[in-house]
Amino acid sequence: HNVRGYLPLKVVHFIMNLHTLPRTFYLTRHGQSEYNLIGKIGGDSGLSHNGVEYAHRLAKFAKEVIGVETSIVDGKEVKTSRPARLWTSTLQRTKETAQYIEHEEIEISYDNGDKINWVQFRQNERRNLDELYAGLCDGMTYKEIEQNFPDEFKARQNDKLAYRYPRGESYMDVTLRLEPLAHDLERTREPILCVAHQGILRIVYAYFMGLSRAEAPFVRIPLNHVIILTPHAYGCHEERICLMPKEEMVNDGQDEPVTSMPEKPKDPTDADSVMDVPSC
């Protein structure tokens, strides 16, 4: 259709993936990992005891909330199964978080009368959902980074958005690799449970909530929470559900280093370093 140029083609491709049907996304970090316990970033560690407990609770939430649709029939509330999708990264901690989710088979009907058998929460491992790669700093604590790479530590504090770890990635790099994922999210009609990582979910959250790129690296994505996003014509509705309060967890973990970017004062009711344990 005589569309030429990089940006015009990008716009056309984006518009082709849009639809007006309501849809809901359920975003959650993996359960607490062994690296979370000792404050290390990156890596491919498995879940801690707390992380396994969260995986059980997430499976229950998926079955009773995400995969169910409530309607009113003759004045009575009726619950029926609805098709739902499951996306994880390729890293061990997200796959272990999704391991207890049931994959029952249901029959769904389309407007034209066609019927198909749908496997609930069929796991789709996506490499572009993998956590921001910390390069030479992968598997280190922030204290170790400060001691071994003081210049890099300072550079990250000065510009968290554009800073790229040595032989690793920046938030800008992650934004580029998440572009195809954004198109898939716009195109998909079924509710999606996305089990991923803090750095990744910050970008996805910022995209749907209309935040600037500069704000994205500072979005709070705590452990043990499901963030429910429902896009609509003039924005996006957000709801956060805590499946495992911090009081039930072991008080270990480590905060991210303080950055030079001004932040809002913390509400005293906010979760502490246990829930906001660092990732990248």
Side-chain angles (χ1 to χ4, degrees):
H1 300 285
N2 293 321
V3 178
R4 297 184 177 86
Y6 177 78
L7 285 179
L9 287 171
K10 284 286 185 182
V11 171
V12 170
H13 183 58
F14 175 74
I15 293 174
M16 288 175 64
N17 285 285
L18 296 178
H19 64 79
T20 57
L21 296 177
R23 74 266 194 211
T24 305
F25 309 121
Y26 298 81
L27 311 179
T28 182
R29 286 176 69 179
H30 54 80
Q32 185 188 59
S33 70
E34 295 293 346
Y35 266 24
N36 289 151
L37 278 172
I38 54 180
K40 290 187 174 183
I41 65 173
D44 193 17
S45 63
L47 296 182
S48 68
H49 173 76
N50 291 320
V52 173
E53 174 60 26
Y54 178 70
H56 282 287
R57 298 189 187 192
L58 181 63
K60 185 174 184 290
F61 180 82
K63 181 178 182 178
E64 297 179 356
V65 178
I66 303 176
V68 171
E69 189 172 37
T70 303
S71 57
I72 303 298
V73 179
D74 296 330
K76 296 182 180 180
E77 190 177 90
V78 178
K79 293 186 176 182
T80 55
S81 296
R82 64 174 177 177
R85 299 177 183 269
L86 170 64
W87 293 356
T88 71
S89 74
T90 65
L91 298 178
Q92 183 180 351
R93 52 193 182 274
T94 62
K95 292 188 286 186
E96 288 185 0
T97 302
Q99 65 183 315
Y100 301 112
I101 295 175
E102 296 182 13
H103 306 287
E104 64 176 333
E105 191 172 285
I106 63 173
E107 184 179 80
I108 60 174
S109 302
Y110 291 103
D111 294 337
N112 61 0
D114 290 346
K115 295 182 178 181
I116 65 167
N117 291 326
W118 176 280
V119 178
Q120 285 286 64
F121 300 105
R122 188 194 299 271
Q123 191 163 332
N124 184 0
E125 298 176 13
R126 305 179 68 110
R127 190 168 295 278
N128 53 356
L129 281 175
D130 287 356
E131 180 60 296
L132 186 156
Y133 180 48
L136 296 179
C137 301
D138 194 60
M140 300 174 70
T141 66
Y142 284 115
K143 188 66 176 177
E144 290 171 340
I145 296 173
E146 185 178 16
Q147 292 172 346
N148 293 284
F149 303 99
D151 292 340
E152 297 294 334
F153 184 84
K154 185 176 180 181
R156 184 177 184 275
Q157 284 186 299
N158 292 334
D159 189 358
K160 190 175 179 181
L161 174 66
Y163 170 76
R164 180 181 288 120
Y165 283 100
R167 300 183 184 178
E169 291 182 300
S170 69
Y171 272 96
M172 294 293 287
D173 296 327
V174 171
T175 300
L176 290 175
R177 70 169 156 97
L178 285 177
E179 181 183 334
L181 184 95
H183 290 168
D184 287 346
L185 286 168
E186 294 286 4
R187 179 172 62 242
T188 304
R189 301 186 179 190
E190 298 80 17
I192 300 174
L193 171 58
C194 181
V195 184
H197 309 268
Q198 181 172 240
I200 301 301
L201 296 181
R202 281 171 168 167
I203 301 298
V204 175
Y205 177 91
Y207 169 75
F208 282 105
M209 297 302 293
L211 303 181
S212 67
R213 292 188 302 181
E215 294 175 287
F218 301 92
V219 172
R220 184 167 171 266
I221 309 288
L223 289 173
N224 303 341
H225 285 66
V226 177
I227 300 175
I228 306 173
L229 299 182
T230 307
H232 52 80
Y234 301 102
C236 185
H237 178 264
E238 172 191 3
E239 180 183 0
R240 297 192 178 213
I241 298 177
C242 180
L243 300 185
M244 187 174 177
K246 63 179 180 179
E247 290 79 14
E248 299 182 32
M249 299 179 64
V250 177
N251 288 323
D252 285 311
Q254 174 184 321
D255 279 324
E256 286 198 56
V258 177
T259 69
S260 58
M261 178 177 177
E263 298 185 62
K264 295 179 181 178
K266 271 199 171 184
D267 190 299
T269 61
D270 280 352
D272 58 16
S273 59
V274 176
M275 308 300 269
D276 295 313
V277 69
S279 183
C280 271

